[in-house]
Structures are given as C-alpha cells and as structure tokens.
Amino acid sequence: MKIAAVLTATAATTTAVSGNLLRDSKTAVQKENDRRLTNSERRLATQVFDKTDPTFHPDDLLIIPDYWLIGIRTSYDGSYVAGVDDAGNVEYNYPWCTADETSPEGYTCLDLGPWNCSGDVTWTACCDYAKADVTDRGIASVDLHGNSLDCYDSPPPISEDDPEGVWQEG
C-alpha cells in the first residue's frame, strides 16, 4: 500500500501554505520545528512511503516533524470532529513501525486507523478512542524511535475565500 506523506492537517502536520501554522493546537516546540523546515525539506516530506518497498526504512519517517501525531480535523468552531470528509472519519497516513524481535529487520510496520469519530465527538475523545484501538489490537503505542502515538487538534485550513479564518459553519 502506498501512503502519501504530505504535510497537511490530515497528515498530522501543517505547512505555511495551509494557513494552519498558528491556528493548530500544537506545542511551541512543534510549531518551531515546523518553522525550521526549509522548502527543500517540505518537498522531501511530500514523498510517498510504501512500507512494502524493500528500500523503505522507518528512519525515512524522521524527515516528517511530528509524524507520530494523529491530526484530527475539527469543525470550524472546534466543537466536534469533522474528519477529512466532514463525516467524522480520521486517518493516520504513515506506516506505524514498532520493534519486533521476531522480524528479520527487527521491526514491523503496520497501518493504523481509520477511526469513525462522527457525531458530537470532541477531538480529545476521538484521540482516546484511536489510541485505545491501537493498544486493543495489540500494537505498541511507542514506535521504533521511542515516540508515543498521540494526537492534535487540526482546524480546517483557512481558504482564499476566508483568509482571516472568521467564517463559521451553519
């Protein structure tokens, strides 16, 4: 399966292009990491990761700042999970690679999600649901690099029609 690793809210990171850099509920460290990306690093981060490709290695993910975070798209007012399709569906767009002593490579990479967080589900409740699903499936919540799977609130991008981000649904 090919997984596009694009720096967008659905890929758990932001870009200056999306307009979300300062609107996301990311820590100051995460925002600073995003600001430090050069244009060439942003282009590198849009490559396609194919975990079945023999040249793929989990270290390839390290070019993506905060790849271990699930970006949960919320409504414009932040009151519920909209998902990428406005139906509450949340996806994690990277391979999740964990240590595996039984594998010849020493690791295993798996697909996580998608998760249905439709209804009046908050992004924190959706995050708890997604993380519980991972552990319930017997998948380690800490990856090969020591990063713990977690989430962040990803409001919709500011559009050209709404450059100030003041438009509200409804």
Side-chain angles (χ1 to χ4, degrees):
M1 171 191 290
K2 291 189 177 186
I3 300 170
V6 182
L7 292 177
T8 66
T10 55
T13 50
T14 57
T15 66
V17 175
S18 74
N20 279 348
L21 196 57
L22 300 177
R23 293 181 69 205
D24 285 342
S25 301
K26 295 178 119 183
T27 67
V29 171
Q30 292 164 337
K31 288 178 185 177
E32 182 60 28
N33 285 343
D34 284 353
R35 277 193 284 279
R36 288 183 183 165
L37 283 178
T38 65
N39 285 337
S40 61
E41 287 171 325
R42 282 192 183 93
R43 281 191 294 276
L44 279 174
T46 60
Q47 73 183 16
V48 173
F49 292 109
D50 181 355
K51 68 181 182 186
T52 62
D53 182 337
T55 64
F56 170 78
H57 189 276
D59 288 351
D60 297 344
L61 294 169
L62 295 175
I63 65 168
I64 309 294
D66 309 331
Y67 69 87
W68 58 89
L69 297 178
I70 303 167
I72 300 180
R73 174 64 54 87
T74 56
S75 60
Y76 275 93
D77 65 3
S79 64
Y80 66 91
V81 174
V84 295
D85 56 3
D86 208 31
N89 292 314
V90 174
E91 297 176 358
Y92 179 75
N93 295 322
Y94 304 106
W96 185 250
C97 301
T98 58
D100 182 354
E101 294 176 9
T102 64
S103 167
E105 296 85 11
Y107 62 87
T108 298
C109 296
L110 303 166
D111 294 326
L112 302 182
W115 302 279
N116 184 340
C117 294
S118 60
D120 291 329
V121 178
T122 64
W123 78 269
T124 53
C126 182
C127 181
D128 291 343
Y129 167 67
K131 292 191 298 186
D133 173 65
V134 169
T135 56
D136 289 349
R137 290 174 48 200
I139 300 171
S141 61
V142 176
D143 77 352
L144 190 61
H145 300 106
N147 296 307
S148 295
L149 186 66
D150 210 343
C151 312
Y152 75 95
D153 171 19
S154 177
I158 299 172
S159 70
E160 291 180 22
D161 297 332
D162 182 28
E164 301 300 317
V166 295
W167 179 81
Q168 298 290 312
E169 292 180 301

